[in-house]
Amino acid sequence: GEDVEQSLFLSVREGDSSVINCTYTDSSSTYLYWYKQEPGAGLQLLTYIFSNMDMKQDQRLTVLLNKKDKHLSLRIADTQTGDSAIYFCAVNKGGLTGGGNKLTFGTGTQLKVEL
Amino acid sequence: GAGVSQSPRYKVTKRGQDVALRCDPISGHVSLYWYRQALGQGPEFLTYFNYEAQQDKSGLPNDRFSAERPEGSISTLTIQRTEQRDSAMYRCASSMPQTGKIYFGSGTRLTVV
């Protein structure tokens, strides 16, 4: 089955860039996601990328996809204390029609932003 | 509604009791998903619906778990004869077909004592 792996912890200084990495095993994944989870809150969809793209940028967020290496990364520019949270990488399997959009999540990366 | 709504937010139940968790998806969303998240882990897929049809229930851990979505909108996840190992955050999500956007609710924290 699908396996998604992330490092558990990342600490950065406020104002620096953060890079959170994710590797996955299923090359048939069509959508790849980043979700943010803050204490006591739900899972917030941050961004996602379609598998035929290499990069997607959305304000301070940049997603890079290396399909050959099955590697996904999330870069947060000018990291702020409000970015402190757990970030989950997730990938789907198969197409969006009929088979649905069933996601496999990583274990999450705890981002700590220090002053 | 504005987002995916789940109730109750917290549920404490005694071992052996049945519980029903409710999910109200974003208005008009065809697909509805249930996930379970243990502490320190990512969510794990349980089941999903397109409209009222349950398309995949491969993630339900055993036959004590069931889900329904009778009118293609609100869904209920039912756990019968709860056990302590059922304690977790149960998350619901919804989406439209042909899009990549899947939105999650705030979850129901279930504690079985």
Side-chain angles (χ1 to χ4, degrees):
Chain A
E2 176 68 85
D3 192 27
V4 179
E5 294 196 356
Q6 303 177 237
S7 54
L8 290 179
F9 192 77
L10 176 65
S11 179
V12 300
R13 290 190 180 273
E14 188 178 42
D16 287 350
S17 291
S18 309
V19 179
I20 302 171
N21 294 300
C22 171
T23 58
Y24 60 98
T25 55
D26 190 345
S27 58
S28 71
S29 297
T30 51
Y31 278 102
L32 303 100
Y33 299 81
W34 287 103
Y35 283 87
K36 178 182 181 182
Q37 180 177 311
E38 295 179 271
L43 276 173
Q44 177 192 351
L45 176 62
L46 277 182
T47 186
Y48 65 98
I49 189 168
F50 192 56
S51 58
N52 67 354
M53 298 168 67
D54 298 323
M55 185 184 84
K56 181 178 180 181
Q57 187 155 0
D58 184 1
Q59 299 182 334
R60 292 190 298 123
L61 305 179
T62 303
V63 178
L64 294 177
L65 174 61
N66 182 329
K67 284 191 71 177
K68 175 176 169 289
D69 295 337
K70 301 192 190 75
H71 182 268
L72 182 74
S73 68
L74 174 70
R75 179 177 179 270
I76 305 172
D78 187 25
T79 312
Q80 302 297 307
T81 54
D83 295 323
S84 293
I86 300 174
Y87 290 80
F88 288 96
C89 168
V91 304
N92 80 331
K93 189 170 185 177
L96 296 177
T97 58
N101 205 6
K102 189 164 69 175
L103 300 184
T104 300
F105 283 81
T107 53
T109 299
Q110 173 82 56
L111 175 64
K112 181 179 179 183
V113 182
E114 298 176 325
L115 295 172
Chain B
V4 179
S5 178
Q6 292 188 245
S7 62
R9 189 74 191 269
Y10 302 93
K11 177 70 177 177
V12 180
T13 190
K14 290 185 177 180
R15 192 173 46 188
Q17 296 291 308
D18 298 350
V19 294
L21 311 180
R22 174 188 164 117
C23 173
D24 194 350
I26 293 172
S27 179
H29 275 195
V30 167
S31 300
L32 183 149
Y33 308 83
W34 284 101
Y35 285 78
R36 179 169 72 171
Q37 185 176 10
L39 207 59
Q41 300 293 319
E44 291 184 335
F45 171 81
L46 294 176
T47 184
Y48 93 94
F49 295 81
N50 280 342
Y51 300 101
E52 72 281 359
Q54 191 171 21
Q55 300 289 341
D56 185 336
K57 55 181 181 179
S58 62
L60 296 177
N62 51 60
D63 61 7
R64 295 186 296 107
F65 288 72
S66 63
E68 62 175 10
R69 193 186 185 197
E71 296 177 2
S73 179
I74 292 169
S75 176
T76 303
L77 177 71
T78 301
I79 309 172
Q80 296 178 310
R81 305 181 302 281
T82 51
E83 301 177 5
Q84 282 191 317
R85 59 178 171 157
D86 300 332
S87 296
M89 176 72 83
Y90 288 82
R91 297 195 184 272
C92 176
S94 70
S95 72
M96 286 296 288
Q98 305 297 337
T99 80
K101 296 181 180 180
I102 303 174
Y103 297 97
F104 281 80
S106 296
T108 295
R109 169 73 67 186
L110 175 66
T111 304
V112 182
V113 297

